Amino acid sequence: MMMRVRQDGDEPLKVVLLGSGTVGTQVARLILEHGDDFAARIGRPLELIGIAVRDLSRQRPGLPAGLFTDDPQGLIDRGEADIVIELIGGIDPARQLILSAIEHGASVVTANKALLAAHGEEIFDAAELAGVDVYYEAAVAGAIPIIRPLRESLVGDSIRHVMGIVNGTTNYILDKMTTEQTDYEAALVQAQDLGYAEADPTADVEGYDAAAKAALLASLAFHTRVNGDEVHTEGITRIVQDDIRAARDVGCVVKLVAIAKQLDDDQISVRVHPTLIPLGHPLAAVGGAYNAIFVEADAAGRLMFLGPGAGGAPTASAVTGDLVTVARNRARGVAGPNQTIYNELRVADMGAVQTRYFLRLRVVDEPGVLATIAAILAHHKISVQTVLQTPADSSGVRDGASAELSLMTHMATESDLLACLSELKANPKVRSEVRFLRVEGM
Ligand SMILES: NC(=O)c1ccc[n+]([C@@H]2O[C@H](COP(=O)([O-])OP(=O)(O)OC[C@H]3O[C@@H](n4cnc5c(N)ncnc54)[C@H](OP(=O)(O)O)[C@@H]3O)[C@@H](O)[C@H]2O)c1
């Protein structure tokens, strides 16, 4: 429903910017440098009336010193802003600042996936009540348009599956491990040196950042509320060079993938974990710090969105895209489409999720062992598609005592797989932990 909001003729629309870090600085620059173009596109000029930061003593070259304050709440409580752009990040004080902005009748643009994945319902409900916009294109996959395509372009279709590489840091690390045979730790240090990974990389490498984005994508795709804490989340810290090598031997690469999939009329699966992707799949070719999102819809078929998923300027492009859209809405006295949440779908337990698995284990190298392993799998309703047997020693030297088995399974449920792993672990023919990775895109 389009709602009427305040209209003030041809007066400038007043913009407040909260945060002037990696993204905020680029947003301020674009607003100041492209004022005439933005005014022509919106039909009204924009006026940046204040920028809130934490540390006023820091030099901010190229930005007018008179705009800065270290009192974001005071800036909002002036009640002058038509649009508040939140680029502070995190939960507090961003949550309270956004809610205050909405209470004052301002529309909001944010890139804050952590906040929306945890408190989206509260924020979107407040915006609906106030008749203002909350836009967040930059919250998922930086410069790549994916929120608007899901919310608007594909709103007449039925989305069945969204699968994406939505964290550039982990994609960079896995790509280095794949193309240069680098170990995880060395690849992480390289990512930090290049500014792709934070000094504390936990949110990226443990998958939390991707999980917040998966929650936002699933909510939009399936018109249901998914919170970040409902997303099954595994990061990449346990991936070792042998996993990458074994994946390559079966024609796959390892990627950290966010998956939102419809299982039936009542359930969806939303998860983030390292995943084997066949080399022929479009996501397999996404290298470096790039992001890509693959969408399958009934009528549209398969779509792929690809581009830079982070960085100051790319992310600022998505933020200013939202700024112009929200400003156009205000200039016309309307609010744009909110989230359309009308389903109450359950996020399925991982145990119920069905996928293929890639198993890797070391077994006693003697006749009949393969049959023993296959029988244990069959006992748990898991059938094997392919088996690869290699000497366990990666130098290629056969030690005579054990061999490495790599097995690609057909579809199986996670609960069956876990029961099978317990039985394999207890079997005396198995001489190592059983490593497993889920497989998608086959
Ligand atoms: N960086 C990316 O590539 C990227 C990509 C997609 C989305 N995002 C999202 O964009 C948002 C901003 O990220 P960023 O990388 O630009 O962060 P950042 O570089 O850390 O900048 C944060 C800004 O917020 C200010 N700030 C922090 N706490 C504050 C407080 N209590 N009061 C007032 N100002 C405060 C900081 O002030 P000081 O300058 O004084 O420290 C800084 O200007 C986050 O939600 C992030 O998840 C970032």
Side-chain angles (χ1 to χ4, degrees):
M1 186 177 58
M2 297 289 233
M3 300 182 72
R4 306 292 302 176
V5 293
R6 196 173 66 207
Q7 258 184 307
D8 298 23
D10 287 336
E11 287 294 303
L13 290 161
K14 295 191 166 68
V15 179
V16 154
L17 179 59
L18 307 178
S20 186
T22 307
V23 183
T25 300
Q26 297 299 324
V27 169
R29 189 181 59 76
L30 288 175
I31 294 172
L32 296 171
E33 285 177 8
H34 299 286
D36 290 345
D37 283 336
F38 285 0
R41 292 171 201 174
I42 294 162
R44 294 227 339 237
L46 294 177
E47 184 189 352
L48 187 56
I49 61 166
I51 305 176
V53 291
R54 189 171 29 196
D55 180 1
L56 272 183
S57 68
R58 186 174 293 175
Q59 291 298 308
R60 320 266 176 181
L63 300 178
L67 286 179
F68 284 92
T69 172
D70 58 2
D71 179 12
Q73 190 65 56
L75 188 54
I76 287 171
D77 287 343
R78 276 161 51 185
E80 294 170 23
D82 291 285
I83 300 164
V84 171
I85 305 173
E86 185 277 309
L87 293 169
I88 290 177
I91 306 296
D92 291 315
R95 172 177 160 269
Q96 191 48 50
L97 293 170
I98 286 178
L99 290 171
S100 296
I102 292 170
E103 260 176 48
H104 283 289
S107 288
V108 171
V109 174
T110 179
N112 195 333
K113 60 256 165 184
L115 177 65
L116 293 179
H119 297 282
E121 185 168 8
E122 179 184 30
I123 289 169
F124 291 118
D125 285 355
E128 182 91 38
L129 202 65
V132 299
D133 287 328
V134 174
Y135 273 46
Y136 56 101
E137 185 62 70
V140 180
I144 305 173
I146 185 64
I147 299 298
R148 208 108 27 104
L150 290 178
R151 188 172 61 184
E152 297 173 33
S153 319
L154 291 166
V155 75
D157 209 330
S158 299
I159 294 171
R160 301 295 172 203
H161 188 185
V162 179
M163 183 160 83
I165 294 167
V166 291
N167 182 274
T169 307
T170 46
N171 200 52
Y172 176 85
I173 293 170
L174 291 173
D175 194 35
K176 279 277 157 196
M177 291 176 75
T178 304
T179 55
E180 296 177 17
Q181 289 83 52
T182 314
D183 281 338
Y184 169 78
E185 285 77 14
L188 171 59
V189 170
Q190 285 182 27
Q192 284 169 323
D193 288 347
L194 287 167
Y196 292 141
E198 311 261 339
D200 175 2
T202 310
D204 291 324
V205 297
E206 295 293 356
Y208 306 144
D209 173 82
K213 293 165 180 170
L216 297 180
L217 291 173
S219 300
L220 279 175
F222 302 115
H223 307 278
T224 193
R225 181 79 59 203
V226 178
N227 283 323
D229 58 10
E230 294 177 278
V231 180
H232 174 90
T233 307
E234 294 172 29
I236 63 165
T237 51
R238 288 189 68 248
I239 299 296
V240 295
Q241 193 46 240
D242 268 354
D243 295 322
I244 306 274
R245 187 246 330 137
R248 188 172 38 241
D249 289 347
V250 292
C252 292
V253 287
V254 180
K255 295 283 186 190
L256 185 72
V257 172
I259 298 164
K261 202 183 236 179
Q262 180 148 26
L263 300 185
D264 55 39
D265 287 348
D266 303 317
Q267 291 192 103
I268 52 173
S269 158
V270 191
R271 50 201 163 97
V272 169
H273 50 67
T275 307
L276 250 69
I277 303 283
L279 283 169
H281 191 282
L283 287 181
V286 177
Y290 264 58
N291 281 193
I293 297 160
F294 180 78
V295 179
E296 261 186 84
D298 277 357
R302 296 169 162 204
L303 308 170
M304 174 91 162
F305 300 82
L306 170 74
T315 309
S317 164
V319 171
T320 48
D322 279 352
L323 171 64
V324 169
T325 306
V326 164
R328 280 174 174 161
N329 290 343
R330 291 197 69 101
R332 292 172 52 226
V334 299
N338 201 337
Q339 286 199 322
T340 42
I341 303 290
Y342 57 87
N343 285 326
E344 285 187 18
L345 302 180
R346 208 161 59 78
V347 177
D349 292 338
M350 267 314 271
V353 167
Q354 276 209 332
T355 185
R356 287 166 185 263
Y357 295 92
F358 178 63
L359 309 182
R360 198 158 59 78
L361 64 162
R362 182 191 278 205
V363 294
V364 176
D365 195 4
E366 64 185 28
V369 171
L370 197 51
T372 306
I373 302 297
I376 294 172
L377 268 82
H379 177 231
H380 293 281
K381 303 186 285 270
I382 301 172
S383 63
V384 175
Q385 187 193 10
T386 54
V387 183
L388 201 66
Q389 182 169 346
T390 49
D393 185 331
S394 55
S395 67
V397 179
R398 196 165 193 125
D399 63 12
S402 65
E404 185 182 272
L405 285 185
S406 299
L407 302 118
M408 185 71 76
T409 75
H410 287 292
M411 296 293 270
T413 64
E414 185 106 351
S415 55
D416 284 338
L417 179 89
L418 294 180
C420 174
L421 292 186
S422 301
E423 196 175 334
L424 284 173
K425 204 172 143 192
N427 191 290
K429 303 290 182 199
V430 175
R431 289 285 170 87
S432 70
E433 69 164 328
V434 184
R435 293 187 68 81
F436 78 93
L437 284 162
R438 304 174 189 89
V439 184
E440 295 283 335
M442 275 193 161

